[in-house]
Amino acid sequence: MQQKDIAKAVAILRSGGLVAIPTETVYGLGADARNPLAVRKIFVAKQRPMDHPVIVHLAEVSQLSQWAVDISKDALSLANEFWPGPLTLILKKAPGVLEMITGGQDTIGLRIPNHPMALAVLKEYGDGVAAPSANRFGRISPTTSEAVREELGDAVDFILAGGRCGVGLESTIVDVSGEEPAILRPGMITARQIENSLHHTIQKQKKNAPRVSGSLESHYAPVTKMRLMSTEELALFLTHEQDDTAVVAWSRLPVSQSRIVRMPENPWSYAHDLYQVMRELDKKGLRQIIIEEVPETSEWDAIRDRLLRAAHR
Ligand code: TXA
Ligand code: MG
């Protein structure tokens, strides 16, 4: 890790600029969360609607009280167990938090990411950094610095290159602002892990959830048409040759076809690869991308969620 890159990132944040920051989930597009002009630049660069809230990233649990109030026992225990890590907590916002950060709601999303460069920047910076995923609105989140450049070009002042993101899918979002915790967006920290940590059950799907851009039905979409198929449908489909189609499969189908992209059989490796595979396939000008459905178990929840969105048109 280059100390001068960290210093440069911090200087740009202080002067109200935009820095792409690697995290363990996906790259974030960071700005000073206290500076309305800086936060506004995020929305312009992403071409994102102004009423969508953004996550504020912190370096330490002790900073929570500068951003949130009414922090429950559940919230603290999740923070202590999973941070730094791929978890975002929705809490009641502290007075003075910018409207642009909360999307005009009374809650705020907070997270301590587990990536050495992100943590170095956040520690050195010493306050909250607003950072949604560093993609244009509605597109696939970037998991490499090259993908950030493709998405944002010169709209970002500096890209901190931190290699490929380890987790590869966006954080699990848990709303702990109400009576009962609720999962707003599944991630690789599963509902079961959250329940085990809290020693009680939580809501898996909240009705009338607050605005979460990741909960729009069509999101994370590639340009190429995507279709999901069960393993059985896929086996049948593969008996016909189709040059203009790519097939993304994780199960060991008994066919050897060059157009099959073989995905890992374990969900963590699959999640790590998924966005990069989708991004590369999307550049090939194919007619469609067929993706094999994934298992129904909870470690696959986040992957299934992103695949359903990507295939929704
Ligand atoms: O893994 C991640 O969470 C990445 C990295 C960069 O940290 N960030 C990320 O940010 O995915 P973004 O903005 O692309 O997605 C964050 C989601 C959005 O869907 C947003 O609506 C939701 O979090 N969110 C933020 N604040 C919220 C709030 N106060 N209430 C409900 N949802 C909120
Ligand atoms: Mg996003």
Side-chain angles (χ1 to χ4, degrees), residues 71-279:
I71 301 163
S72 65
K73 213 169 117 260
D74 278 353
L76 266 186
S77 84
L78 293 177
N80 286 319
E81 171 144 5
F82 294 107
W83 284 350
L87 174 74
T88 296
L89 295 177
I90 306 295
L91 290 153
K92 286 261 179 303
K93 74 171 183 79
V97 173
L98 293 174
E99 286 237 340
M100 258 185 288
I101 295 286
T102 63
Q105 303 177 87
D106 63 353
T107 56
I108 181 169
L110 296 165
R111 167 166 125 81
I112 302 182
N114 189 18
H115 188 291
M117 291 173 94
L119 284 171
V121 169
L122 290 165
K123 281 208 174 94
E124 174 96 11
Y125 185 64
D127 201 1
V129 172
S133 51
N135 50 285
R136 298 215 182 244
F137 183 65
R139 303 256 313 127
I140 302 168
S141 297
T143 52
T144 64
S145 57
E146 294 79 15
V148 175
R149 181 61 72 194
E150 276 171 29
E151 285 292 317
L152 299 174
D154 294 335
V156 53
D157 297 307
F158 181 47
I159 300 175
L160 255 183
R164 184 98 171 256
C165 301
V167 174
L169 292 184
E170 302 84 355
S171 60
T172 307
I173 302 183
V174 182
D175 185 349
V176 279
S177 69
E179 287 292 298
E180 197 189 338
I183 299 225
L184 301 187
R185 177 176 72 186
M188 294 310 286
I189 293 178
T190 63
R192 175 154 338 133
Q193 280 176 282
I194 306 273
E195 290 181 336
N196 285 344
S197 164
L198 295 177
H199 306 293
H200 63 77
T201 58
I202 55 168
Q203 292 180 47
K204 313 285 186 317
Q205 215 73 51
K206 193 170 176 179
K207 299 269 179 289
N208 308 316
R211 256 185 323 258
V212 182
S213 72
S215 73
L216 293 178
E217 279 199 319
S218 170
H219 202 64
Y220 311 113
V223 174
T224 316
K225 185 167 169 274
M226 263 189 54
R227 214 175 122 194
L228 289 171
M229 274 192 194
S230 69
T231 309
E232 294 72 37
E233 285 174 298
L234 194 55
L236 200 63
F237 177 85
L238 283 171
T239 58
H240 309 282
E241 269 302 329
Q242 286 193 9
D243 288 339
D244 52 0
T245 301
V247 173
V248 178
W250 61 272
S251 67
R252 296 291 162 253
L253 292 157
V255 274
S256 62
Q257 290 202 28
S258 54
R259 64 204 166 88
I260 297 187
V261 179
R262 300 246 178 227
M263 295 295 282
E265 282 177 277
N266 91 68
W268 298 279
S269 307
Y270 187 113
H272 172 266
D273 292 357
L274 179 62
Y275 284 168
Q276 190 60 23
V277 165
M278 277 168 57
R279 185 173 287 279

